[in-house]
Amino acid sequence: MTAGIVFNLQRYSLHDGPGIRTTVFLKGCPARCWWCHNPESQTHTPETAWSQNRCISCDACLLACHEGLKPRDACRTCGACAEACPTGARELLGKVTTADEVLQSILKDRMFFEDSGGGVTFSGGEPLCQPAFLKELLLACRAQGIHTAVDTAALCPSETLLDLAPLVDLFLFDLKCADETLHQKGTGLGNRRILENLEQLGRVHRNIWLRIPVIPGFNDTEEEMAALAEHAARAAGVRQVWLLPYHGTWSAKPARLGKKPPAEALAAQAPAPQTMELFARFFAARGLDTQIGGGA
Ligand code: SF4
Ligand code: SF4
């Protein structure tokens, strides 16, 4: 059995596909989008976090640490400090686990899936960064008759995506920007492979929901939205498009990891409802079933 790294398992998710879902967050992502809601997902290994506002300076973590480290020091992520912390100020983000262990946790929610037409969503990070582990999870869910969704930015070789595609009931495909230079600037990566992956996936999979975050100062222009709508309309297999307005509720997270929030985030404002409606019309005009979602 392949070991994988999971940093969260969220029950009763209502925005990650149809029905009530359990969302499993796999660690690791090659991109560095400044608006990333889950900055703790980006590194590929477990890490420790510390929230100053929860810390009562009891020193239980210091006493528990075999290395004698302070809360923010680099560590070997054994998790002893997080276990000892009485307030949750010290956390271990990312746990090495197996598909069977994750499945047992998912199965506790089966009743909700059956009543609501829900299932499990594998998210991240970029879940396709752990393809062997993800494949085991998908096979295990299929054997149990559980509906699966994979939330991906397709940051992987096409072969990986196409190998997993037959095991996935629904793809939530994150598409961020059509212009390559802009994409590189906002995420740290070019988008050529992503666009190719969308086209290739669309040829073999008939249930793709595109999720497009609308990010101020990045892709919130008519030119970008028109270009994204062209890509969406060209890709066979796209059933729905979700436009997700930016919101900054994640912006306290970088401090937990000892990082500053990105400069762009300090200035960013959520797009106005009229702007979202205008952008939605670009997609609807190309015959795409378009929704405005809860947020990105
Ligand atoms: S154990 Fe938790 S609350 Fe106590 S000093 Fe460490 S981080 Fe702060
Ligand atoms: S691709 Fe997703 S998980 Fe990766 S950095 Fe961007 S927003 Fe975060």
Side-chain angles (χ1 to χ4, degrees), residues 93-135:
L93 303 171
K95 181 182 174 229
V96 179
T97 184
T98 62
D100 190 51
E101 204 177 353
V102 177
L103 179 70
Q104 295 315 315
S105 206
I106 291 168
L107 287 174
K108 292 180 187 160
D109 298 334
R110 188 198 274 277
M111 192 177 68
F112 296 112
F113 307 155
E114 286 169 359
D115 288 351
S116 68
V120 62
T121 299
F122 297 105
S123 182
E126 170 52 77
L128 288 156
C129 282
Q130 299 188 54
F133 180 53
L134 180 58
K135 190 169 187 174

Side-chain angles (χ1 to χ4, degrees), residues 19-89:
I20 297 172
R21 309 193 71 81
T22 297
T23 305
V24 181
F25 294 87
L26 275 62
K27 207 157 172 6
C29 181
R32 291 294 177 267
C33 308
W34 66 255
W35 61 89
C36 181
H37 274 196
N38 296 322
E40 72 274 37
S41 73
Q42 293 173 348
T43 62
H44 294 260
T45 51
E47 59 194 314
T48 45
W50 177 65
S51 302
Q52 188 171 17
N53 60 354
R54 287 195 209 151
C55 181
I56 55 170
S57 303
C58 68
D59 284 354
C61 54
L62 292 179
L63 296 171
C65 179
H66 313 293
E67 314 281 333
L69 297 173
K70 295 194 190 76
R72 271 172 117 149
D73 286 350
C75 69
R76 60 188 175 85
T77 60
C78 70
C81 55
E83 261 178 51
C85 178
T87 65

Side-chain angles (χ1 to χ4, degrees), residues 242-259:
W242 286 80
L243 297 184
L244 310 175
Y246 171 84
H247 62 72
T249 49
W250 58 274
S251 57
K253 280 191 175 182
R256 286 163 62 207
L257 302 167
K259 297 178 187 161

